[in-house]
Amino acid sequence: MRKIKFYIFFFIITLNCQNLKSEIIILSACDDKQDEFLKNEYILNLNELIMTRNYVYKEKTFKKYKLTDLSVKKSNTYVRNIYEENGKILTHKHGYPQFYTQILFEKGKQDIFIKTVLNDEEGISKISTCKKIEKFDKES
């Protein structure tokens, strides 16, 4: 019985000490084709499969959106689920089955695209270019 307890204890300790790896990619200093930002960054956590976008509008852009939508904030953060497909990273579909959009990233590339699908017709447009890309392999 002692041996069994020892083996169970040893197994639990070994299991907890195994290294866990995660990959995090940070794209920062991203410009935008339509709006101006003081801060615009995307954080891709490939272990947890989430994208976090942090941005702060410049005053001119903030005023433009505030005119038509009182809920607009000067700085904001939003989180989307992501997945990998054919070497590309995509956010989950946002919209309806006939019409939806997704943000599209390619590993190691500084360009960010938006994928728009309308009745199975797909279009991809560049929305941003990031000046800085950092990749972290985190072990715990």
Side-chain angles (χ1 to χ4, degrees), residues 21-63:
K21 281 190 169 184
S22 67
E23 184 177 355
I24 297 173
I25 301 170
I26 301 174
L27 297 111
S28 56
C30 302
D31 69 356
D32 190 276
K33 302 303 171 205
Q34 184 178 356
D35 299 321
E36 294 183 38
F37 295 92
L38 295 172
K39 176 183 179 180
N40 190 18
E41 72 177 2
Y42 298 82
I43 302 168
L44 307 172
N45 186 326
L46 300 179
N47 185 48
E48 296 179 16
L49 295 175
I50 57 171
M51 174 208 74
T52 305
R53 180 179 180 216
N54 301 308
Y55 63 91
V56 178
Y57 287 124
K58 283 191 173 179
E59 194 62 33
K60 180 180 174 183
T61 302
F62 174 66
K63 286 180 179 178

Side-chain angles (χ1 to χ4, degrees), residues 110-121:
Q110 61 192 35
D111 296 326
I112 301 172
F113 299 90
I114 189 160
K115 176 181 170 183
T116 306
V117 178
L118 175 61
N119 294 328
D120 295 325
E121 292 292 323

